[in-house]
Amino acid sequence: MNKSFNEKHGANFLIITATILLILLVSGVHPASAQSSIHEEDQTCVVRYPARLNSIYPFASYPKILLQAAIKVTENEFGNCRLVHVGGYSELRKVTTLTKNEGIDVAWFPASKELSEKLRHISVPIRKGMLGWRLLLTHKDKSINISQAETLVGIQGLTLGYGADWIDLPAMQKYFPKVVMSSNADNLYQMLAFKRFDIFPRAIHEASAELMFYKSEFPQLRVAPKIALYYPQADLFYVNRSNKALYNRLTKGLFILIEDGTYDRLFNRYHKRYILEANLMDRNVIKLENPNMPTDVLFDDTRLWFDPSKYD
């Protein structure tokens, strides 16, 4: 007996579908990730971002809040969109996953030329360059001597602690020949407490919050007074190089937030207290260069970089 048209072609469709799924799985591509996160037909989208592994700090949610605002303010032009967070990722895994366009659509990293060759960055600094202002965490026994250094030469002989997979590690290694590394922040604090190295440079918002968190476990740690480092650095949103729709949407959204004042308001809400606590205007700020910064980051737009002299 001859099969009906629907039976024959339905069977063929199932075979073809199964074959496509098998090819995707064998090639390591998840079927869901083969689709763009932007669905232009119905003007809706889903944007996946990695949840931060250590989200205990008040400032940790700020990039997500800024991302959400940039998506929301562009709904009239680009359509409704839903942000979805996925499980905790290490820095290396975020880069790898985003480069392969599998599992996440956007993430934020310290800017680097090498990273921008793999991914596409939006050139607006998320934290207004705050990442480049560094306080020096140290053991209380070394605090006074370190604070007396007046130039880079005075601290270059010190041993520095830093994250082994942190993207701006090369910028630090350029100036500090002796670096002790670990991929675990807890280990770095423990080693600093036991004097395995001398200084641990942390961005001003990180230094304050992290010292408070580790205070009971490592009460011997301090921020070295009267001294700070500065080098041009910013954390940026990154997307896959093929995801032009999301790149365009985030770029437009961030500039709308800059123009209407939301960018400044959100930044100050999450960071002003740390800027005031750091008291940068009363510190000897040792300036470093950062040759690893992408050249198209908007250094000339003063709206995008915080000025310590305007906080009192």
Side-chain angles (χ1 to χ4, degrees):
M1 181 182 295
N2 292 332
K3 293 183 178 180
S4 69
F5 178 90
N6 287 339
E7 286 177 316
K8 288 193 294 183
H9 288 271
N12 289 339
F13 175 79
L14 290 174
I15 292 171
I16 292 170
T17 301
T19 303
I20 292 172
L21 289 172
L22 181 61
I23 291 171
L24 287 171
L25 292 172
V26 170
S27 64
V29 178
H30 191 281
S33 69
Q35 302 176 7
S36 170
S37 62
I38 305 294
H39 304 283
E40 296 181 355
E41 296 85 357
D42 57 6
Q43 292 297 297
T44 63
C45 70
V46 172
V47 174
R48 300 161 296 179
Y49 69 94
R52 182 165 174 164
L53 286 171
N54 55 334
S55 57
I56 58 173
Y57 303 119
F59 58 79
S61 62
Y62 168 72
K64 181 246 182 176
I65 299 297
L66 185 62
L67 175 66
Q68 197 167 36
I71 292 290
K72 181 69 176 176
V73 79
T74 51
E75 282 185 350
N76 287 341
E77 180 174 350
F78 292 89
N80 294 329
C81 199
R82 183 166 56 95
L83 287 179
V84 175
H85 69 83
V86 293
Y89 284 68
S90 68
E91 292 294 285
L92 180 59
R93 188 183 173 204
K94 282 191 286 188
V95 173
T96 302
T97 304
L98 197 53
T99 302
K100 292 181 178 180
N101 207 19
E102 297 177 2
I104 59 176
D105 302 300
V106 62
W108 42 94
F109 304 101
S112 79
K113 289 179 180 177
E114 180 182 0
L115 187 59
S116 293
E117 291 174 358
K118 300 176 183 178
L119 302 168
R120 175 176 287 194
H121 64 261
I122 290 85
S123 295
V124 175
I126 295 172
R127 286 193 170 90
K128 304 187 76 169
M130 196 173 182
L131 204 61
W133 293 87
R134 298 291 175 125
L135 301 180
L136 302 182
L137 304 188
T138 188
H139 193 283
K140 65 179 182 179
D141 294 344
K142 302 181 180 184
S143 178
I144 300 300
N145 288 338
I146 291 171
S147 67
Q148 291 174 345
E150 296 183 356
T151 65
L152 177 61
V153 175
I155 60 173
Q156 273 187 305
L158 300 175
T159 301
L160 179 139
Y162 222 67
D165 61 347
W166 293 354
I167 289 170
D168 55 350
L169 174 62
M172 288 297 176
Q173 289 176 314
K174 174 180 170 66
Y175 292 99
F176 296 93
K178 295 182 288 185
V179 180
V180 174
M181 292 175 281
S182 174
S183 57
N184 185 292
D186 288 336
N187 289 345
L188 287 167
Y189 272 91
Q190 185 177 46
M191 287 190 286
L192 181 61
F194 287 97
K195 302 182 182 180
R196 288 280 307 280
F197 52 83
D198 302 307
I199 54 174
F200 185 20
R202 301 299 284 148
I204 57 178
H205 57 294
E206 297 168 333
S208 176
E210 290 172 4
L211 270 188
M212 182 63 66
F213 177 75
Y214 288 104
K215 184 177 181 179
S216 60
E217 188 174 1
F218 305 120
Q220 64 270 56
L221 300 184
R222 301 284 189 275
V223 172
K226 301 181 182 179
I227 190 170
L229 301 180
Y230 172 75
Y231 62 103
Q233 182 57 287
D235 42 357
L236 306 175
F237 289 118
Y238 280 83
V239 300
N240 185 274
R241 295 194 70 83
S242 66
N243 199 343
K244 294 180 180 179
L246 185 56
Y247 169 82
N248 290 336
R249 180 168 190 161
L250 292 181
T251 299
K252 183 157 192 176
L254 287 171
F255 275 101
I256 291 173
L257 298 178
I258 292 165
E259 293 291 339
D260 70 12
T262 302
Y263 179 69
D264 276 342
R265 286 193 297 272
L266 288 176
F267 173 78
N268 287 326
R269 181 186 305 169
Y270 284 89
H271 302 98
K272 184 176 180 179
R273 57 170 287 197
Y274 302 115
I275 297 171
L276 295 176
E277 288 174 7
N279 201 17
L280 292 171
M281 297 305 295
D282 289 336
R283 292 179 180 270
N284 174 33
V285 179
I286 298 174
K287 295 185 178 180
L288 313 177
E289 295 179 354
N290 183 9
N292 202 30
M293 276 289 284
T295 56
D296 64 340
V297 174
L298 304 173
F299 288 109
D300 294 334
D301 192 337
T302 57
R303 299 174 301 172
L304 310 185
W305 305 88
F306 95 91
D307 181 354
S309 68
K310 295 181 179 179
Y311 290 82
D312 52 26

